[in-house]
Amino acid sequence: MTVTPAQLRAFASRAEALAAEVRAACDTPVDVQPGAADPLVAARHAADWLTRATDDLRHAATDLARTQVEPCAMTWAVCPTHGNTLTSMAGVSTCRVCGQSRPTPRPGEPCGAPVTWKVIDPAGTETRMCAGHVLGARAVSHGATFLPLDQALT
């Protein structure tokens, strides 16, 4: 099983709730003999550790989200540097700007380049794209919001 940032955030929420529950339980008076040591010191200490775990899990989720490579799922061919600037002939796509050539992908084949942008259309639909596809999307997407993925994750 591969851990995801969402799972780590869910663990953090559960740890936070458990810490609050332990603290609330420890606030309830306990019948102990006067002068005796507080029997809930260890429980309060555990609640502090759960709070630290909450923070650590949230930091880990953010770090993991930043380092995971998500492949671009867009299915139209683009130049990774210049966007929608390709011409295709005989199974080879060539960028009209830089002249770089590569085999034309099969129809419907996902791009696979690393996702670096989150695009939110006016209806609120989110799409993640590589830099090359964002260049093409900017030209045709009116009213969309384009966020670099590192900004979108914070």
Side-chain angles (χ1 to χ4, degrees):
M1 177 174 137
T2 302
V3 68
T4 66
Q7 288 172 313
L8 292 175
R9 285 189 288 272
F11 293 150
S13 293
R14 287 169 42 202
E16 183 176 47
L18 185 56
E21 194 175 331
V22 169
R23 282 194 180 92
C26 290
D27 287 343
T28 305
V30 177
D31 291 331
V32 292
Q33 294 178 352
D38 182 358
L40 298 177
V41 169
R44 288 186 186 94
H45 187 66
D48 293 342
W49 279 104
L50 285 166
T51 299
R52 284 187 213 110
T54 298
D55 295 340
D56 289 347
L57 286 164
R58 288 197 174 119
H59 287 296
T62 301
D63 291 345
L64 181 60
R66 285 192 174 124
T67 61
Q68 282 185 324
V69 176
E70 178 183 348
C72 181
M74 298 294 104
T75 57
W76 75 90
V78 293
C79 171
T81 308
H82 300 103
N84 287 341
T85 56
L86 298 180
T87 57
S88 296
M89 181 182 288
V92 175
S93 295
T94 304
C95 176
R96 293 184 304 274
V97 177
C98 66
Q100 186 177 16
S101 295
R102 64 179 44 93
T104 301
R106 294 182 308 234
E109 183 178 348
C111 169
V115 166
T116 55
W117 289 84
K118 178 165 95 171
V119 181
I120 306 169
D121 71 14
T125 304
E126 290 183 12
T127 306
R128 293 174 182 248
M129 298 180 188
C130 67
H133 280 100
V134 162
L135 290 170
R138 281 186 190 274
V140 297
S141 299
H142 303 288
T145 302
F146 295 85
L147 296 169
L149 201 55
D150 59 348
Q151 269 188 357
L153 295 172
T154 57

